[in-house]
Structure formats: structure tokens, C-alpha cells
Amino acid sequence: MVKIAPSVLSADFTKLKEELDSIKEAGASWVHYDVMDGHFVPNISFGYSILNDISKVTDLFLDVHLMISQPRLYVDQFIKSGASLIVFHLEAMNNENDVKELIDYVHKQNVQVGVSIKPFTPVEALLPYLQDLDLVLVMSVEPGFGGQKFNPSALDKIEKLKNMKENQNYHYLIEVDGGINEETGLMCKEKGVDVLVAGSYIFNSDNYKEKIDSLK
Ligand code: DX5
Ligand code: ZN
């Protein structure tokens, strides 16, 4: 069954522990943690110190989405702060070698690693890395803000990634992020997605369980 990863970007930070407890009780097994640096994306969210606080009060799997330039410089802090999975952006990297080194580096710390692609980056750009990845994150909006409209270009990408995974026996999970609701989530599931990220759809409602159930 598909995993649901609520994005705490849309949570109420004045009562973050309550929010984390509520999504767990409502059936989420992951937390999606969106880090924005005001440089790679035109918005600033939060860094590793809040992740560290979160890791102390929840046992949910911490899916850390780094929308930052130079992820190599900060990855240690996110690992120390409890990340279960580090996802960085292909577009933030200079060359193939740097991507491979960062994947290896995170693995050596016994943390899972994923790579994300923006809507205009083709899945083929991931070919050199697919065999080593625990997850591929397909962005279905331009990263930077919650509450945007789903871009259907993600659907073809999910399908391609699913086929490549089956043909080559790769082990990565396929995750999609941006504009996910009951309808767009269903379209992604039909293409073979493994993890649905949803921020505003879940946190802007007053019944998290109903929303999470509708995505499963
Ligand atoms: C966008 C973030 C998303 C965002 C999703 O840059 O990566 O994770 O929180 O929010 P919704 O589900 O509201 O599109
Ligand atoms: Zn995200």
C-alpha cells in the first residue's frame, strides 16, 4: 500500500508535537520535512535545529527534502538531527561525480538517500544514479511553496521510473510531491507511485484521518 508523507510545511508550528501525534494517529508513517534556503528556491522555511526537535518527539520516519544549494555542506547537520532519508535536488549539483559522492557519503552514515527532480528535469538525467538510490522524488510543482497546482508531467515520469525499476530490478521507492489530493493522488497511484507527499490537503483540513485515508 502507498505510504503517506504529510509535509509539515503546512502544519501549525505553535503546536508541532500535537500535529505530529495527530498525523501518526491518522495513519501516516512518514513526515516530509521541506528545507528551503531562499537561494535554490525563492522561499525560506526551516533548517536542522527544528528537525532535531522533531526527532526527539516522534518515531515517524523523517523524510528530509533539501531544497537547498550545496547540500553537501549541510548534510551532516541534517543527519545528526535525525534524518531517516536525505533527498537532495539533482539541479543543485555541479556534476555527476558530486552526485555520486554525495549518495555514497550519505549511505556511509547509514542513512537512506534519494534524489529529486523539478518539473522540467527529465527522468533520464537520473540514469547514472538509479541503481544506488533508495528513493526518487518527482516534483509535481516547482519547489518552493505549498498549495500549488499539480503538474501532470509528473505522471509520465512516475510511469517511466516504475518501468525502469521493474526492468532493471532497482530498489528505489517513487515519491511524488506537490498538489497532491484525492484525485491527483489516485492518478499517481495508477502509475505506480510508492509515497505520496501532501501538505495543504492534509493540514488545511480539520480531519486528518479522513484526508490520509482518502489518499491510501
Ligand atoms: C513544495 C514542497 C512540498 C509542499 C507540498 O516545494 O516540496 O513538499 O509542502 O505542499 P502541497 O501538498 O500543499 O502542494
Ligand atoms: Zn517537499
Side-chain angles (χ1 to χ4, degrees):
M1 190 161 58
V2 76
K3 286 183 173 49
I4 311 301
S7 165
V8 286
L9 189 63
S10 297
D12 181 347
F13 271 68
T14 62
K15 47 170 192 168
L16 192 49
K17 175 161 172 19
E18 233 173 283
E19 294 277 63
L20 293 163
D21 291 344
S22 305
I23 54 168
K24 184 173 178 189
E25 207 174 286
S29 45
W30 286 23
V31 177
H32 185 81
Y33 187 82
D34 284 310
V35 182
M36 303 178 183
D37 66 351
H39 185 260
F40 181 73
V41 289
N43 194 10
I44 297 177
S45 60
F46 30 69
Y48 42 80
S49 66
I50 292 179
L51 180 68
N52 195 47
D53 291 347
I54 289 179
S55 72
K56 287 182 185 149
V57 299
T58 186
D59 57 4
L60 289 166
F61 182 92
L62 301 178
D63 164 22
V64 175
H65 179 193
L66 297 179
M67 287 166 275
I68 64 175
S69 303
Q70 307 213 50
R72 178 66 185 86
L73 295 184
Y74 302 96
V75 75
D76 283 315
Q77 297 287 1
F78 287 98
I79 292 174
K80 267 191 222 154
S81 302
S84 311
L85 163 75
I86 295 282
V87 182
F88 63 91
H89 265 270
L90 188 62
E91 302 85 357
M93 303 302 285
N94 291 325
N95 57 56
E96 192 173 319
N97 201 43
D98 285 2
V99 177
K100 287 187 168 163
E101 270 182 9
L102 185 50
I103 293 170
D104 281 357
Y105 182 78
V106 176
H107 273 152
K108 285 200 179 108
Q109 324 298 312
N110 288 318
V111 172
Q112 294 187 33
V113 61
V115 173
S116 181
I117 50 171
K118 301 205 277 186
F120 285 103
T121 303
V123 282
E124 287 72 17
L126 292 167
L127 284 174
Y129 322 110
L130 289 177
Q131 62 186 351
D132 298 318
L133 294 176
D134 300 300
L135 179 140
V136 174
L137 173 53
V138 175
M139 290 307 298
S140 38
V141 298
E142 270 306 312
F145 300 90
Q148 303 182 73
K149 195 169 170 280
F150 180 82
N151 180 336
S153 70
L155 295 170
D156 273 358
K157 293 186 183 180
I158 295 169
E159 191 168 29
K160 276 189 189 167
L161 285 164
K162 173 85 176 169
N163 288 336
M164 292 192 240
K165 176 178 164 167
E166 282 177 0
N167 293 338
Q168 309 286 331
N169 256 319
Y170 293 149
H171 71 281
Y172 56 78
L173 294 176
I174 306 167
E175 181 178 44
V176 65
D177 182 8
I180 296 298
N181 54 36
E182 184 172 4
E183 189 182 297
T184 55
L186 180 62
M187 296 192 267
C188 295
K189 284 189 285 183
E190 283 169 354
K191 300 293 184 190
V193 85
D194 301 295
V195 187
L196 293 173
V197 175
S200 49
Y201 179 65
I202 294 172
F203 284 107
N204 292 355
S205 97
D206 50 18
N207 190 336
Y208 296 173
K209 179 154 173 36
E210 194 181 281
K211 295 294 170 186
I212 288 174
D213 281 347
S214 76
L215 295 172
K216 282 185 172 171

